[in-house]
Every structure is written in structure tokens, then in C-alpha cells.
Amino acid sequence: MYDLIVIGAGPGGYLAAERAGGAGLKTMVIEKKNIGGVCLNEGCVPSKTILNSSKIYEYAKNGNKYGVTCENVIYDQKKVIKRKNIVVKKLVSGIQAVLAKNKVEVVSGKGVIVGKTSEGFEISVNGEQHTCKNLIIATGSEALIPPIPGVKEAFEKSIIVTNREILDLTTIPERLTVIGGGVIGLEMASYFATVGSKVTVIEMMDRIGGYTDREIGTILKGNLEKKGITFLLESKVTKVMDSRVYYEIEGKETSIDSDKILLSIGRRANISNIGLEKLSIAVEKGAIKVDETCKTNIPSVYAIGDINGTSMLAHTAYREAEVAVNNILGNRDIMRYSAIPSVIYTNPEVASVGETEETAKNKGISFEIKKISMNYSGRYMAENEGGDGIAKVLIDKKYKKIIGVQIIGSYASEIIYGAGIMVETEMLVKDLQEIVFPHPTVSEIIREAIFS
């Protein structure tokens, strides 16, 4: 008998197991593939590792702007991938050590819900059944493969790749077509364009970056076009024939040839074949339905991370893990999604938290915008030759509180957590005026935007 069984050891799953084990609960976590899930093995960490290598390469090639000249700069993709694998391995080992320290039993295999008895929930793995008082489902998500003619066949031939396979390419494709201009698509487009690929991005929407602030998305698009990326917006892929992608734009069908095709049009929750029907767990729009405590419609059963479809971000899963475990321990806690930061790790970076102009207008919020060039930051100017980044702060007119911040520029990913605190705590402008920012830092741009 376990106090808690967690199915899935991605960011949400392993943190939930760690917190529960640390609190004294007898805990088991089941993972069918790799500890750390998609984020650590096939997403967040490996992509940021290779993106950093490309950034160093880009700086080396363009160092003459800063008085540094490098000759014969060579990019070795095989070494980059080798280093990426080492980084991932070290981090996985670290998580395994933390789980062991908190006395969490880790089982490799596919966890499936069998049913419920008077003793608790029955979970099967590797032919054995285990019983638990509480259950957390954290099986994550997978890349969405659309029913476009030819996609399945091209995928089987390894012409089409997803976020998983593209992070293991040891050679740089001469021509890369990216289907989907969302976060993953943009990051990989930025990476491969920087290291030598001719990149084309095909996107159905009239903008890139999903629902990123439109003005900032436009600035990002301009920066990526300078890297040589071609964007085909308001374009619909109609079929794939081997390495050729056919798409419709302005009512006409045309095509483009590629060496590799990255399919990046979204992700779907892994709800199939895990036994949800055995407990009659409610599913809505392809994801497990949960309340503000991350609890499903079944008492003592929780769903965290991508599986609940609320916010498919690793850091959201971390917080959901804490909320679920706190409630299992009898300490009421709830999820709040209004101040969850989002980041696009291109170069330049884009980071956002809270409301954008569009979302605020749609909600009928009366607000004012404080917008400023990143060049008002001394450090930004010192480190970015010709940078065109901006920072935007949205302020509620009625209460004079900060409701949103968007930044495009260096260190945006590291600055946004501070803006997140402002939004989460509903910080008033007058209170921010008393906060001292270190100088010179790029983070000062938030203060400059509001008070300059």
C-alpha cells in the first residue's frame, strides 16, 4: 500500500514524488521512458543547450562589431549534440539522486490504472499491481501529427521530424522547412538558421509566436528574417510528398523542397491507454479536466502538467505538483494561472507574463501602456550593437497595478520572473517606485518604462 503513486516522471511527476516523499508519504513514481520526461530529455533542456552553442557561434562570427575578430570559426554539430547528451545525463542523474534521498521508489515501465477497490486505486506496471490511497497522473504530452496526406509516410522515412528527433541530428540540413511558427518551431528555426541552414517557416496564422504580443512578435520576425529565415504566413500545408511540402497561400498551391521537415504544430495530452475509463475520469477537449486544486472528478485523483491541458509549460507543472501534493497532505492550495511567464528562447529572447494588449482588451480591462526601447538600458546598449528590443508594461488604470509585462531582448528570460512577482502580487506602481534595481542591468528597463 502506497500513500501516493505518480504515473509519469516529467517535471510535474518527479517534483510531486519528491515533495510527497520528503513529507513522509510512501511514494512510488512510474516512468515508461526517461526520468525528466520530454522537458529534460527531448525539449526544454536539450534545446537550450544547443541554442547556447549557436549563440556563441553567432557572437564569434560577428565579434568584429565589438572589436573582436575571429577567423575560421567552425561549428561542429556532432560535438554540440555530444555535449547536449552529457548535460541531459547529468541532470537526470541529479533528479534520480534527489528522489532516492526522499525515499521515493522509482519504477521503470508503463503505469496503467486498473480500477478501484475498498483499499484504494489499483495501478499495474510490468505485470504487477500496486495499491495507493492517492493518485497523480502526469503522463505529459506528445507532438501532434496531423492527418495531412504524406506526413505519415515522410515521418516513417525520417524526412519529417518532431522536437524529439531534431535534437539528435548530427548534421546540419542544407534546407529546413518548419511547419508551425509557435515557440518550438521558432526556436529550432533560429537555431538552424544561425548554424547554416536555409530555413522556411510555414504558419497558418497571420503572425508568429502564437498569441505573443503582436508588436513584439513583429519585431522578433524582423530579427529572424535578418538571420535568413523566410516566413510564409497565412499558409496552409496541404500535402507532403517525400521531401517536398505543398502549401496553399492566397488561394494558390505552391511547394518547397527540403532536406528535413520539422513538424511543430502543437502537442496533445497523453490520455490514451492509461486506464482513465476504469475510474470514469472526466476528459474535456482531449485533456483531463481538473479543478483549481488540480483534482479530477474522482476524489484523491489529481492530474498535473500537460495532461490537464491548462498550461503546457514545465514551470506550470512544477507548481501544479506542489498544489496537488499540498492538498493530499491536507494543506489547501490552489493554482493561479494569471501570472505564469512564457519565454521564446530565440536570439533575441522574448518573455511575457500577465495580460497583453489583446487579452486585456478582450477582458474589458481599462489599461495604459508604458513602452520603452531597450536601448534606454545602459547594459543592453553596451552588449547589443544595433538592438531593436522593447519592453512593455501594462498598468490597470483603475487600481494602478501592474497587470502585464512583455520584453524582447537579451536576458528577457531571466528578468521575467521579477515581472511575474509584480503581476502575481498585484503590485501597485507606487510600491514599485520604492524598489531599487541594480545598475547597470537590463532589468532596470521595467522601472525605466514606468517612470521615465
Side-chain angles (χ1 to χ4, degrees):
M1 170 63 75
Y2 291 86
D3 294 311
L4 172 65
I5 289 180
V6 183
I7 303 178
Y14 75 69
L15 186 65
E18 176 192 329
R19 292 286 192 266
L25 299 184
K26 185 177 181 183
T27 304
M28 171 190 284
V29 63
I30 304 168
E31 172 54 52
K32 70 175 183 179
K33 197 171 183 182
N34 299 306
I35 296 293
V38 170
C39 173
L40 180 49
N41 296 278
E42 303 165 3
C44 315
V45 172
S47 63
K48 301 324 165 267
T49 305
I50 68 171
L51 279 164
N52 183 64
S53 291
S54 69
K55 191 181 293 185
I56 293 171
Y57 177 64
E58 186 174 19
Y59 290 157
K61 287 200 306 176
N62 299 293
N64 61 304
K65 294 179 181 179
Y66 306 93
V68 181
T69 302
C70 298
E71 297 180 0
N72 302 318
V73 181
I74 298 171
Y75 196 83
D76 191 328
Q77 177 73 354
K78 289 182 179 178
K79 286 186 178 180
V80 170
I81 298 301
K82 182 179 180 180
R83 179 177 181 270
K84 178 265 293 184
N85 292 334
I86 291 172
V87 170
V88 169
K89 186 177 180 180
K90 285 182 178 179
L91 289 171
V92 169
S93 296
I95 293 169
Q96 290 172 329
V98 171
L99 291 173
K101 178 183 177 183
N102 287 281
K103 300 180 181 179
V104 175
E105 184 177 344
V106 180
V107 177
S108 180
K110 183 176 181 179
V112 178
I113 301 167
V114 176
K116 188 178 187 299
T117 67
S118 58
E119 293 185 338
F121 303 103
E122 296 290 327
I123 310 299
S124 173
V125 58
N126 300 330
E128 296 184 356
Q129 286 192 192
H130 306 276
T131 307
C132 59
K133 298 175 184 176
N134 299 279
L135 173 65
I136 292 180
I137 305 168
T139 49
S141 65
E142 62 184 358
L144 184 63
I145 309 296
I148 297 172
V151 164
K152 182 180 179 182
E153 293 78 6
F155 187 73
E156 290 171 349
K157 294 178 182 178
S158 297
I159 297 170
I160 283 183
V161 295
T162 66
N163 65 289
R164 176 186 301 158
E165 297 83 20
I166 201 165
L167 291 169
D168 284 325
L169 294 183
T170 54
T171 57
I172 303 298
E174 184 177 337
R175 298 162 300 176
L176 174 68
T177 298
V178 179
I179 302 176
V183 175
I184 296 172
L186 292 178
E187 289 180 357
M188 290 299 96
S190 177
Y191 173 78
F192 282 98
T194 300
V195 300
S197 294
K198 173 60 180 174
V199 179
T200 301
V201 177
I202 303 174
E203 169 56 47
M204 287 187 67
M205 296 177 67
D206 65 347
R207 63 203 287 183
I208 64 171
Y211 294 100
T212 299
D213 175 87
R214 186 177 287 273
E215 182 180 11
I216 282 183
T218 300
I219 294 172
L220 176 62
K221 179 174 175 285
N223 277 269
L224 295 180
E225 285 173 334
K226 290 176 183 177
K227 296 179 188 291
I229 299 174
T230 298
F231 289 96
L232 301 172
L233 303 184
E234 298 183 271
S235 302
K236 180 182 178 181
V237 174
T238 55
K239 63 183 176 181
V240 177
M241 293 183 67
D242 290 328
S243 61
R244 183 164 284 275
V245 179
Y246 290 80
Y247 60 95
E248 188 178 284
I249 182 169
E250 296 181 350
K252 297 180 180 179
E253 187 178 70
T254 184
S255 64
I256 183 172
D257 207 11
S258 316
D259 296 294
K260 285 290 181 184
I261 303 166
L262 171 62
L263 188 60
S264 180
I265 62 169
R267 300 185 67 80
R268 64 180 176 189
N270 290 324
I271 60 173
S272 302
N273 304 315
I274 58 174
L276 297 182
E277 69 283 355
K278 298 294 184 179
L279 297 178
S280 298
I281 294 173
V283 173
E284 187 174 81
K285 297 180 180 178
I288 296 177
K289 186 178 180 180
V290 296
D291 65 13
E292 62 184 2
T293 68
C294 297
K295 189 183 295 180
T296 69
N297 61 308
I298 305 301
S300 301
V301 179
Y302 297 78
I304 63 174
D306 289 4
I307 193 70
N308 68 36
T310 307
S311 171
M312 288 187 169
L313 297 168
H315 43 280
T316 301
Y318 284 140
R319 177 60 187 143
E320 289 174 336
E322 293 176 334
V323 167
V325 172
N326 284 341
N327 281 281
I328 288 170
L329 292 170
N331 304 316
R332 179 162 173 80
D333 196 359
I334 62 170
M335 272 301 300
R336 296 180 297 278
Y337 295 96
S338 60
I340 293 177
S342 62
V343 180
I344 304 175
Y345 293 88
T346 45
N347 189 18
E349 295 180 344
V350 171
S352 176
V353 68
E355 305 292 347
T356 64
E357 288 187 62
E358 287 176 281
T359 62
K361 286 177 182 176
N362 291 339
K363 293 177 182 179
I365 300 172
S366 178
F367 65 93
E368 60 178 319
I369 299 173
K370 298 287 189 175
K371 182 172 68 175
I372 194 170
S373 166
M374 293 292 282
N375 288 309
Y376 274 77
S377 160
R379 183 173 183 185
Y380 180 86
M381 275 284 285
E383 297 183 2
N384 293 272
E385 185 71 22
D388 60 352
I390 64 170
K392 300 175 74 171
V393 180
L394 275 67
I395 299 170
D396 183 291
K397 279 188 176 180
K398 182 177 181 181
Y399 300 104
K400 299 298 180 182
K401 65 181 180 180
I402 296 163
I403 59 172
V405 176
Q406 292 88 43
I407 304 170
I408 177 168
S410 54
Y411 307 106
S413 61
E414 299 293 343
I415 297 169
I416 203 65
Y417 90 94
I421 292 173
M422 297 173 196
V423 175
E424 175 68 27
T425 61
E426 299 184 332
M427 183 176 282
L428 302 179
V429 170
K430 67 180 182 65
D431 294 328
L432 180 62
Q433 195 161 20
E434 298 177 14
I435 303 297
V436 178
F437 286 69
H439 176 80
T441 62
V442 181
S443 66
E444 290 177 288
I445 201 67
I446 295 175
R447 184 181 173 86
E448 289 289 333
I450 295 172
F451 300 114
S452 63

